[in-house]
Amino acid sequence: MAATVWATVSLVGFGGPQPESVLPANALGFAKVDLDIDGSQAIDLLRFADRLPDELGEEFEGVEDEDDTAAPFAEVFADTYDLEASEVEGWIGRKVGVASWPTDNTDFASEGGVAFAIALAVEDAGAAEARFTELSETHGLAHTMVDDFVVFSEHPAAIDDYHDQMSAHGDLESDDVYSGDLGDVPSGSIALAWVDLASLAGIRPFREQLATEFGAAGTVQGRMTASFRVTGEYLEARMDVFGLSVEGEDLSWLAEGTGAGVEAMGGLPENTTVALGGSGLDRMLAAAWENDALPLLDDQDRRAMESDLTSVGAPPPDGFTSLLGTSTAVGLSDFDTGGYGSSVDPTVVFRAVDGDPTALAAFVDEVVAPPASTGPRPTVTEDGATVVVATGGTGGAVLADDQVFQQTMAGMEDTVAAAFVDVRRALTHEEVRDPEQWGAVGVALSVTQDGDRAAFELRWAPSGG
């Protein structure tokens, strides 16, 4: 990416001056949308639109025309302040951001000590100034013009406080923590959110909620980013968390995963509708067990789990490997329903590399299909070093060979856990015109080696066109 004086642009590919350049650095939360797309983004939108199902394709007609990208802002602004779109289109820009920040200004006591302002890009500063001067009289808006933005708020004291915060703290774009957190936000993103969770937890309403959930000493540390982008292959929403801990419990136990969650799913049958995969889940659970850090598990739950696992010959923590193996995948398929009052049981395939067939057979006998159960009884077989537990066929082609699976999960190879939903198989012709055009949804969780950072990705990769 070409060098640029705009720090955020060099990190995430947003073009030109950004809203965070005119909003305060002590923000506890910030979000923006940037529709000032460049040529490569327009090409990606065109390629993605070509992949959309035919019944959705017409909704994206014209998105490649950059002159249309200001229209959403103009429409929302006009509707909000009782204007005609034609009164807005001539001066409004293609970027908007909003930030909230803590303040000891007594005017904000009823808001929990939090103020906020919106930074809206403008193409014609004079026309924007005139419009906002009118809106200050009709809607009570307070505003100030800063560079290529109008910064405004519906709270009459917000702009005075905004100036105080900018003078004391500078702008958010120049803040090292904020810019550092944006380091791996995908290039070409068109929307972004950032939250300082520790600062947010210090605000009275959120602090009271934490006290209710975790007790009076409840504490949260860390920060979070969320982003949204469209590539030529898929639409993606992503969330990254940094240094997250709740009540002193962090994500270090997740770092025990070995980063091959997608590969784990690859051995499932090609006709799998829903797949879940993880690599190193046994080590992750063992680390959490030994550190008494398993979430949502109190002492009674822990004792019950230990008793149940011991009864099938898989006492924790080593028993997690016996049942899950070093690599784990679960696939479900055949969700077809029959006539009224009847249904077809789905096919379930469970694969545990280096699992213990004896322990898994005992688990099936005692937990999955005890003698009194009436459902289909899973078989337990061995495929080399992999133990396979299944209620249906497991032969034939594998999921890793499916082109839509490859397209959906591309670039997710280093994830500790992943999921895949084949929307083509999940939908029916009664629900959509052509299920084959709806592709698949992919989900992935990745964690750094020390657990200080985790990334969650959600994608939809259509297969039309």
Side-chain angles (χ1 to χ4, degrees):
M1 185 177 296
T4 173
V5 297
W6 297 98
T8 306
V9 176
S10 66
L11 292 173
V12 298
F14 293 106
Q18 294 296 309
E20 55 264 53
S21 68
V22 297
L23 291 169
N26 64 325
L28 53 85
F30 168 76
K32 71 174 177 180
V33 176
D34 182 353
L35 295 184
D36 190 11
I37 62 175
D38 61 21
S40 63
Q41 288 173 302
I43 291 173
D44 279 342
L45 283 171
L46 280 171
R47 291 174 56 205
F48 180 77
D50 285 341
R51 289 184 173 274
L52 286 173
D54 292 339
E55 56 204 286
L56 293 183
E58 59 269 15
E59 299 295 332
F60 277 72
E61 290 180 0
V63 296
E64 72 277 8
D65 184 352
E66 66 178 77
D67 292 333
D68 291 341
T69 60
F73 294 141
E75 292 173 7
V76 171
F77 191 90
D79 289 343
T80 302
Y81 297 110
D82 305 317
L83 301 170
E84 295 295 330
S86 58
E87 300 178 81
V88 177
E89 292 169 347
W91 58 263
I92 200 166
R94 298 175 175 84
K95 305 169 190 176
V96 64
V98 58
S100 59
W101 61 85
T103 177
D104 55 8
N105 188 321
T106 57
D107 288 327
F108 296 93
S110 61
E111 284 80 22
V114 177
F116 81 95
I118 299 170
L120 177 63
V122 298
E123 299 291 332
D124 184 334
E129 173 71 50
R131 177 58 61 191
F132 272 86
T133 298
E134 295 177 6
L135 290 174
S136 67
E137 299 175 358
T138 59
H139 290 76
L141 294 186
H143 77 281
T144 183
M145 304 300 297
V146 186
D147 299 330
D148 297 312
F149 294 88
V150 55
V151 180
F152 68 98
S153 175
E154 296 182 355
H155 196 295
I159 297 304
D160 286 341
D161 193 73
Y162 159 79
H163 287 302
D164 292 341
Q165 303 300 331
M166 291 292 290
S167 177
H169 302 284
D171 65 85
L172 181 60
E173 185 178 65
S174 300
D175 182 73
D176 290 340
V177 173
Y178 170 79
S179 59
D181 287 347
L182 266 62
D184 288 324
V185 170
S187 177
S189 297
I190 59 176
L192 169 74
W194 175 85
V195 178
D196 185 331
L197 299 172
S199 296
L200 185 65
I203 302 302
R204 176 169 49 80
F206 296 97
R207 185 171 63 247
E208 292 173 351
Q209 184 175 355
L210 285 173
T212 300
E213 296 290 334
F214 301 106
T219 58
V220 175
Q221 296 292 326
R223 302 171 310 283
M224 180 189 77
T225 63
S227 59
F228 176 86
R229 65 169 176 154
V230 178
T231 75
E233 304 289 327
Y234 50 77
L235 177 154
E236 178 186 83
R238 172 177 171 138
M239 180 178 70
D240 290 72
V241 293
F242 309 87
L244 178 66
S245 69
V246 180
E247 277 292 272
E249 297 293 343
D250 59 23
L251 301 179
S252 58
W253 62 280
L254 287 175
E256 295 293 331
T258 55
V262 172
E263 181 182 352
M265 292 189 293
L268 291 168
E270 188 180 28
N271 68 338
T272 298
T273 304
V274 179
L276 304 172
S279 185
L281 299 181
D282 59 324
R283 292 168 49 183
M284 292 160 54
L285 290 173
W289 180 272
E290 292 173 337
N291 295 323
D292 196 17
L294 276 175
L296 307 178
L297 210 65
D298 59 24
D299 290 340
Q300 183 176 352
D301 295 330
R302 182 182 172 94
R303 288 193 297 270
M305 175 182 285
E306 184 171 18
S307 176
D308 291 342
L309 295 183
T310 300
S311 70
V312 299
D318 293 340
F320 291 123
T321 302
S322 298
L323 297 179
L324 297 175
T326 55
S327 180
T328 316
V330 181
L332 294 86
S333 57
D334 300 328
F335 290 103
D336 298 333
T337 59
Y340 177 77
S342 65
S343 64
V344 177
D345 290 316
T347 295
V348 181
V349 177
F350 173 87
R351 295 174 57 87
V353 178
D354 299 323
D356 182 344
T358 301
L360 280 165
F363 186 81
V364 168
D365 290 340
E366 295 189 23
V367 179
V368 179
S373 66
T374 58
R377 183 174 184 78
T379 60
V380 181
T381 59
E382 295 181 58
D383 178 14
T386 302
V387 181
V388 181
V389 181
T391 60
T394 61
V398 294
L399 192 57
D401 296 332
D402 181 73
Q403 183 176 355
V404 171
F405 176 81
Q406 297 170 7
Q407 172 191 345
T408 306
M409 308 307 292
M412 291 181 168
E413 292 81 5
D414 295 330
T415 60
V416 298
F420 172 80
V421 179
D422 192 331
V423 183
R424 299 169 302 173
R425 301 181 187 278
L427 294 176
T428 67
H429 285 281
E430 288 73 27
E431 296 170 310
V432 296
R433 189 186 310 163
D434 187 352
E436 284 294 322
Q437 295 186 342
W438 285 79
V441 172
V443 177
L445 172 67
S446 57
V447 184
T448 57
Q449 193 166 17
D450 57 4
D452 186 60
R453 175 178 176 178
F456 178 83
E457 297 172 80
L458 172 64
R459 292 178 180 172
W460 174 44
S463 52

